[in-house]
Structure formats: structure tokens, C-alpha cells
Amino acid sequence: MIRLLPLAVYVSLAFGLPASQSSASNNSYDISVLSPTSSIPGTTPPSTEAPTSTAASSTVQTAGPTPSFTPNKTTVEDLWAQVEKNKPVLVAAESNLTDSTELKLPPAPHAFFPNYLSERTKILKFPKGFKYGVASAATQVEGAAKEDGKGPSVWDYGPHVYPDLYTGAPDVTNDFYHRYKNDFARLKAMGVNTFSLSIAWTRIYPLGRGEVNEAGLAFYDKVIDEAIKNNLEPVVTLFHWDTPLALSVQYGSWMSPKVIDDYNQYAETVFRRLGDRVKMWITFNEPRVFCSQVAVIPYTLTYPDGTNSTNAPYQCTHNLLVAHGTAVQTYRKLVKEGTIAAGQIGLKNDDNKPTPWSDSEEDKEASDRHADFFVGIFAKPIYVDGDYPATCKETLGDILPPLTPEEQKLVKGSADFYAQDLYRVNTAKAAPNGIEACKKNSSDPNWPTCQDNRVEYTSGAPGGWGYGQQADPRVNWLVNSWFALRDQLKYLTKTFPSKGGIYISEFGWAEAFENQRTELYQIVSDYGRESYYMDYLNEFLLAIHEDSIDLRGIFAWSLYDNFEWQSGLTQKFGLQYVNFTDPALPRYFKRSFFSMRDSMKHHLEPEDFNS
Ligand SMILES: *[C@@H]1O[C@H](CO)[C@@H](O)[C@H](O)[C@H]1NC(C)=O
Ligand SMILES: *[C@@H]1O[C@H](CO)[C@@H](O)[C@H](O)[C@H]1NC(C)=O
Ligand SMILES: *[C@@H]1O[C@H](CO)[C@@H](O)[C@H](O)[C@H]1NC(C)=O
Ligand SMILES: *[C@@H]1O[C@H](CO)[C@@H](O)[C@H](O)[C@H]1NC(C)=O
Ligand SMILES: *[C@@H]1O[C@H](CO)[C@@H](O)[C@H](O)[C@H]1NC(C)=O
Ligand SMILES: *[C@@H]1O[C@H](CO)[C@@H](O)[C@H](O)[C@H]1NC(C)=O
């Protein structure tokens, strides 16, 4: 079932892929490994060994049709016709859930969660006002890909035009677009008080810029109102990877500085429309994962002059940071002049500072370098001093476009809180040939981090052990590393201090082999996910009470199984199961849903538990 994905190879390496990704090397690639992202939910991109890059980039550039686009002439319909040339966009079956908020809870499962109430954590509470949320993303849950004037994003184009490289398209997925009312009723039943969603840029600007689509804004108006009606505080992400196809074909989107103005215009339109009700904003989801993939399909349709697969991730890094700073400036201006309500804005970082493999100076350095390339490259400019980590500048040289003094000023301080998608902590071991030799050689398979990228050294531990309980094998970067969380939170809050505190903007579990289970009772008995969540909640409580970490909220990924990018519907991260083979797309609560509900009810102040 798993297809060969030659493109995996190209993912560039340049960004220092975690080991997880580096495991699939031979001629077959598990498509899920490939998935962009840590999987997407917090994930990490695919990778493999070092790129044979020239071949790779040329393959990417010539791998099939590039849509044509004539400025001021190409319409949304023209673009959709190109997307649908081989495979039309599907639409969801009519559902009786569309407007229904009716909900029947099954009997609660036999107890498992109370065993987690150790003497130590039993009496601990999350602070008053704590955000207990779940997270989602437009492409992954909405469906209704072509409805109400939406334009195509690169995630509509790729899966339709290169179906062999994907596991399905996000045409329908969870059909959140029509069923959000019922979905919110289900979240309320879990006591959740916050809901994190993303806006689809192409619902607002079908061509990425130019004319606004009122129907798109009206849809998010309704969603925000319904969330508030259910006591779910909306947290809105402006960009969760769904680049407008039009901007990719016109100028290479994130690889070109032209994207900055277009993104800012889009952001301003959304701030003005929803800014009376939304008080917490995220400009970008996991920019590091996103930029590591801009040189692969579906993102790469056009390279601007001077850009190739090696430098593309860093052009993206630069443009995205400046776009973030610009949008934050716009937001603060609108708040200051009283156009929209006061609130807070930031972005979602990802990955982690890995645990050094040993006490050796080289392994500690490998861990520091990993943190610089995976977290600091975005977080240091924003939270510290406006500039990239010295390791990144030194190793990458000209490949990393410098931030000018004006850009540094714009970016520094451009976040009101710190947010991290913290699925796990990994380990880091120095490259076998040594960090010094590796960092001078951009062809070295471990360049630029110069940690040993083999999976046994990133998700393993000395002595031939795994570092923690492993998730589904398709998501080999994910380990239940509860024991490393408190140190991780100390590192993040000390290194990237923020007056607005820290949020765990995503965390979650891909239950091993869940996709192979056929009986409903097996699917919903997700003991691994339940353990993961209970372990993490305990550590979060201890971090708050024993380490004085200013943790203000946590967001579970995700409310239900959904479209996990290249893994399609096969990779499961949900607190609810969705039967995608049934056109009615019925949702079922898993055990983890009840444990989260009961545990949070126990640990939250009563007024913070939604009921
Ligand atoms: C790759 O192939 C080599 C030699 O055939 C084999 O030893 C290794 O286990 C394979 N690796 C993977 C990830 O399949
Ligand atoms: C990519 O462009 C850089 C210049 O920024 C150049 O040094 C490098 O050789 C190019 N790499 C490839 C694979 O073409
Ligand atoms: C397209 O229209 C914009 C204004 O709507 C104009 O500034 C631009 O010059 C036009 N481009 C072309 C190629 O005609
Ligand atoms: C929706 O339809 C299904 C299947 O016909 C039925 O079992 C269910 O009760 C209906 N739900 C509502 C809310 O009407
Ligand atoms: C750089 O790394 C490549 C790939 O491992 C290797 O073939 C090459 O010999 C290295 N170059 C130097 C100067 O060490
Ligand atoms: C999912 O739906 C299909 C089609 O209705 C049904 O045959 C199958 O048994 C369902 N699977 C589960 C686990 O409920």
C-alpha cells in the first residue's frame, strides 16, 4: 500500500532533517514517513539520506505539469480546471449532522485515568484561566475544497495532479465546513474551553491577492460565533501551510519576497473582519517544518531567479520571518487605533532541544546545534535579539539571507507569548566524522546540524534502547518522552523568554497500528494515546508547580482523525475516530477523549471546565 515516493529524497536536507526522516533510505519510502511534517501535526518532514541534490532539484522542477497563470487574466475557474484535469474534486454527502447539535455520549469506559493520580499530582490545579484546547487546521479538517468561491491551494493541486505521490486529497476530509456545529457540541462534551483553527487563505483571497471573497469571510464569521456560543475561545492561525496556488505559480510564493505584501494584506483583511471577537492570533504554524518543504511538491511549482532546492528553505525562512513581523506590526496598529479588540499574537514553533546522547562535549554541541536549526532559527530573532543563531549563520553562509537592521527591528519582540508544538523530545549525537568536519561540507549527509541523523540516534538511547515508548511506526520521530518535558520547558522559557508565558500549541499521539484495526471497539480503545496524554498532563502540572513554568495553555492534536498531509486519512491522531468509508462520516469518541475530560475536570478550576 505504501508507495514509492521518490520525491522524498529531495526534501531538503538542508534544513537538517531529523532522523526520523532519515531512516527510509533505500528504494522504498513509506509515504507516511515522508509526510511533511511531523507529521504533520507537529511533525517533521521526510527525509532520507543526503540529497543527491542536483538530480533532485531538477526532477522536482520538471516533474509534471506546472499550471499556467496569466496575471489579470487567469480566473479561479481556470486554476480549478487545471487542478481537476485528471481527477475532479469530490463533495461530501449530505449529512443530517449539518445543523444538529444533538449528541449522545456512550457510557464512559472503565476507569484507567484515575490510576494516574499520584499523591504528588492529585492536589495540583492548572492556573485560573488556563486554556484547555484542541487544535485543527483548515486543509486537514474542512473539506468543501471548492465551495463558496474558494480558490485552490497547493494542497489541492498536488494531490489531484500527482495522485501517485499522495494518499488521497483533502476534498472532503472531515467536512468540518458543514458539520462544525456538531463538532463543537462534541468538544464541549469534553470540557474543552479553547479551539484552535486555521483560516484557509484561498477562501478569503481565491487568487492569493486581489479581490476578497465575501463568502469565505462569512463562513469564518459563523464558525467563530458558534465557537463562542459554545464557550470555546477561538485561537486563529492565519497560515497553516495552504499556500494559494496562484501565488506559487506566479512568483514562487514563499521563496520570493513578494509574498510579504500579499500575506500582510490577507492578514489585515482577516484581522479587520474577525478582530472584534478573536483575541489570540497565530501568524504561522511550524514555519521550520514548512520551510524545509518548500522545495518539494506540492510547494515548488516555480523557483524564482537565484533560488534552488538548497537555498529555498532559507529564502522561505527569511521571507516568512519578515512577513510575520510585518503582519504583527499591522495587527498592533489596528489594536492601537481601536479598530479591533486588544489581544495577543505570536507563532507556533515546533521540534525540540534534544537530550544529548552522552556527556561528551560533542554530543552536547550536537544538541545545541539541533536546537538552533530547528527552534532558534525562528525563535531567536523574535524572542531574543532580531538575528539568527550564530551557528546557523556560520554554517549556512550565503545560503541564509541576512536580516537587515530594519528587518531585525521589525522581527525582534514580534510575539506576545511563546508557543511550541511539543510532541516529543528526541536525542542528539554528534556526526560520526565529527562536527568540525561535517559543518564545512555541505554534501555531508548530516549537514547542517551535524548531529547523526540516523533514526537510532535521534529516537533511540544508548545501549540500543528506544528513548521512550514509540508511536505508530509511520511516525518514527514520535516517542512518549514525558520524562524529558520539564527540562524542555525550562530550556524553552529560559532561552526564549516571553512575558505572555508559554503555550503547548500542539501535542498528541499516533497510536501504533491504529489504521489496521477493523473493529470499532479496538479502534476506540486507544490506551497508548490515553497514557501519553495522562503522562504529559502530570508533567505539565509538575512543571507549573515545582519548576514555576508559566504554562498558560495546552492544545491536543487533534479533535478527530483527519487529513494528515501526504499520509492522507491513514495516519490517526484523533481523540475521536471518524469512519471515512461511511459517507455520513460518523464520529466516535475514543477512550482518550474521556480520560482528557475527566483529568482536566479534576485539575482545572471549575469555571475553566466547559460545561
Ligand atoms: C536498506 O538496504 C540495506 C541493504 O539492502 C539494508 O541492510 C537496510 O536495512 C535497508 N534499510 C532500510 C531502511 O530498509
Ligand atoms: C543553489 O544556489 C546557490 C547560490 O545561492 C549555489 O551556490 C548552489 O550551487 C546552487 N545549488 C544547486 C544545487 O544548484
Ligand atoms: C494587473 O492589474 C493590476 C491592478 O489591478 C495592475 O497594477 C497590473 O499592472 C496589471 N498587470 C498586468 C500584467 O496587466
Ligand atoms: C442521522 O442519520 C443516522 C443514519 O440514518 C441516524 O442513525 C442518526 O440518528 C441521525 N442523526 C440525527 C441527529 O438525526
Ligand atoms: C563531503 O561529504 C561527502 C559525502 O559524505 C564526501 O563524499 C566528501 O568526500 C566530503 N568532502 C570532504 C572535503 O570531506
Ligand atoms: C465504517 O463504515 C463502513 C461503511 O458503512 C462499515 O462497513 C464499517 O463497518 C465501518 N467501520 C467501523 C469500524 O465501524
Side-chain angles (χ1 to χ4, degrees):
M1 343 177 180
I2 297 276
R3 280 206 37 100
L4 208 113
L5 237 215
L7 285 173
V9 202
Y10 313 139
V11 172
S12 188
L13 328 317
F15 234 51
L17 296 174
S20 34
Q21 319 165 347
S22 4
S23 57
S25 25
N26 296 338
N27 287 321
S28 68
Y29 296 94
D30 179 326
I31 199 158
S32 55
V33 171
L34 219 219
S35 70
T37 178
S38 11
S39 236
I40 313 197
T43 46
T44 323
S47 138
T48 73
E49 62 216 83
T52 39
S53 293
T54 323
S57 56
S58 61
T59 309
V60 170
Q61 290 184 78
T62 56
T66 293
S68 61
F69 190 92
T70 312
N72 298 0
K73 278 204 144 157
T74 298
T75 62
V76 179
E77 291 69 32
D78 294 335
L79 277 186
W80 275 119
Q82 298 183 62
V83 169
E84 295 189 283
K85 209 163 57 178
N86 308 319
K87 197 168 168 271
V89 169
L90 303 173
V91 298
E94 288 290 329
S95 167
N96 62 2
L97 293 182
T98 300
D99 282 313
S100 162
T101 54
E102 197 182 292
L103 186 64
K104 210 169 111 227
L105 281 181
H110 64 274
F112 179 62
F113 138 73
N115 295 337
Y116 276 86
L117 288 177
S118 66
E119 287 307 314
R120 218 158 143 212
T121 53
K122 203 187 250 173
I123 53 165
L124 302 180
K125 293 273 184 209
F126 287 110
K128 208 168 157 41
F130 194 76
K131 293 190 202 304
Y132 158 40
V134 293
S136 71
T139 301
Q140 295 181 263
V141 305
E142 282 181 2
K146 252 182 93 172
E147 210 161 309
D148 293 336
K150 177 176 165 292
S153 82
V154 293
W155 275 99
D156 296 306
Y157 185 77
H160 278 268
V161 178
Y162 305 94
D164 291 353
L165 302 182
Y166 294 82
T167 316
D171 301 0
V172 174
T173 178
N174 302 79
D175 198 27
F176 173 86
Y177 193 81
H178 300 112
R179 303 177 199 210
Y180 61 89
K181 288 187 183 168
N182 192 259
D183 289 340
F184 288 166
R186 301 177 76 86
L187 290 183
K188 201 173 163 188
M190 196 175 132
V192 166
N193 63 29
T194 313
F195 179 64
S196 170
L197 72 154
S198 82
I199 307 277
W201 184 339
T202 57
R203 286 199 196 281
I204 313 302
Y205 287 99
L207 295 175
R209 55 192 300 193
E211 252 178 70
V212 175
N213 176 36
E214 168 57 29
L217 287 166
F219 167 67
Y220 291 108
D221 267 341
K222 288 187 299 180
V223 170
I224 297 297
D225 289 345
E226 185 72 15
I228 291 170
K229 200 172 119 193
N230 283 283
N231 295 324
L232 296 164
E233 181 191 341
V235 173
V236 170
T237 297
L238 292 167
F239 183 75
H240 198 124
W241 302 0
D242 43 358
T243 303
L245 179 63
L247 302 187
S248 275
V249 294
Q250 283 180 90
Y251 58 69
S253 63
W254 297 99
M255 295 176 277
S256 163
K258 290 182 183 155
V259 78
I260 296 165
D261 285 347
D262 289 338
Y263 174 80
N264 185 49
Q265 175 64 67
Y266 155 64
E268 176 164 354
T269 300
V270 177
F271 293 146
R272 285 180 180 274
R273 182 64 169 249
L274 306 179
D276 57 334
R277 286 154 288 162
V278 175
K279 311 284 169 54
M280 187 167 184
W281 296 90
I282 307 276
T283 54
F284 288 97
N285 173 72
E286 298 185 2
R288 200 277 318 170
V289 176
F290 175 72
C291 285
S292 72
Q293 298 166 13
V294 288
V296 265
I297 287 175
Y299 301 106
T300 309
L301 298 165
T302 308
Y303 282 128
D305 286 349
T307 302
N308 59 40
S309 63
T310 307
N311 60 24
Y314 302 101
Q315 311 261 9
C316 172
T317 298
H318 178 265
N319 296 328
L320 193 149
L321 267 172
V322 177
H324 161 83
T326 307
V328 170
Q329 192 176 54
T330 299
Y331 174 73
R332 289 177 174 165
K333 181 169 155 275
L334 292 171
V335 169
K336 196 164 169 204
E337 70 194 24
T339 307
I340 60 175
Q344 46 179 348
I345 189 163
L347 85 177
K348 282 161 75 177
N349 296 284
D350 82 294
D351 214 83
N352 63 94
K353 170 157 166 51
T355 304
W357 185 263
S358 75
D359 284 341
S360 77
E361 290 309 312
E362 272 229 312
D363 288 348
K364 289 184 200 159
E365 188 182 349
S367 163
D368 290 342
R369 291 178 63 88
H370 180 104
D372 286 347
F373 278 90
F374 281 76
V375 186
I377 195 163
F378 288 96
K380 180 170 170 282
I382 295 172
Y383 295 93
V384 184
D385 61 3
D387 201 7
Y388 298 116
T391 44
C392 301
K393 293 203 286 187
E394 182 208 350
T395 306
L396 297 169
D398 302 348
I399 294 171
L400 179 64
L403 289 160
T404 65
E406 297 72 41
E407 289 168 342
Q408 294 191 19
K409 223 174 125 211
L410 177 75
V411 168
K412 187 182 164 192
S414 60
D416 301 322
F417 53 84
Y418 187 87
Q420 180 91 11
D421 290 358
L422 187 57
Y423 284 80
R424 65 11 177 142
V425 176
N426 292 115
T427 53
K429 188 179 193 304
N433 50 336
I435 289 173
E436 281 312 304
C438 162
K439 76 185 188 191
K440 296 193 203 93
N441 182 1
S442 63
S443 311
D444 191 292
N446 295 309
W447 186 88
T449 61
C450 298
Q451 72 178 113
D452 191 325
N453 271 336
R454 287 173 293 177
V455 69
E456 61 264 45
Y457 298 123
T458 56
S459 292
W465 301 101
Y467 188 51
Q469 185 193 354
Q470 295 277 332
D472 191 89
R474 296 149 179 263
V475 192
N476 62 3
W477 49 269
L478 181 53
V479 292
N480 177 345
S481 35
W482 60 269
F483 44 82
L485 290 178
R486 287 171 65 183
D487 282 348
Q488 187 69 203
L489 288 168
K490 286 180 203 162
Y491 168 83
L492 292 171
T493 50
K494 183 163 155 252
T495 314
F496 309 115
S498 177
K499 288 202 188 81
I502 183 169
Y503 292 86
I504 306 301
S505 36
E506 288 180 22
F507 70 120
W509 187 249
E511 180 87 357
F513 306 108
E514 192 170 324
N515 186 42
Q516 293 171 23
R517 300 179 190 176
T518 51
E519 301 298 325
L520 188 58
Y521 83 92
Q522 296 172 325
I523 296 168
V524 298
S525 297
D526 58 339
Y527 286 94
R529 183 174 293 108
E530 188 175 15
S531 301
Y532 171 95
Y533 278 122
M534 297 303 101
D535 290 342
Y536 277 46
L537 294 186
N538 266 350
E539 298 307 304
F540 295 153
L541 285 162
L542 293 171
I544 292 167
H545 291 276
E546 297 190 6
D547 306 333
S548 303
I549 299 294
D550 186 8
L551 178 63
R552 305 219 185 154
I554 53 173
F555 295 79
W557 184 276
S558 183
L559 74 159
Y560 37 39
D561 302 332
N562 59 49
F563 179 79
E564 285 292 340
W565 312 106
Q566 271 111 327
S567 302
L569 302 173
T570 65
Q571 189 58 71
K572 314 289 186 181
F573 271 88
L575 291 153
Q576 299 175 68
Y577 164 62
V578 179
N579 187 344
F580 293 109
T581 42
D582 182 339
L585 301 174
R587 285 89 156 116
Y588 301 88
F589 299 109
K590 298 181 190 174
R591 281 192 63 100
S592 52
F593 178 99
F594 289 96
S595 286
M596 281 294 271
R597 179 192 69 178
D598 295 347
S599 178
M600 293 307 288
K601 185 168 188 179
H602 181 88
H603 292 294
L604 281 175
E605 295 296 342
E607 63 270 33
D608 291 328
F609 187 80
N610 195 359
S611 55

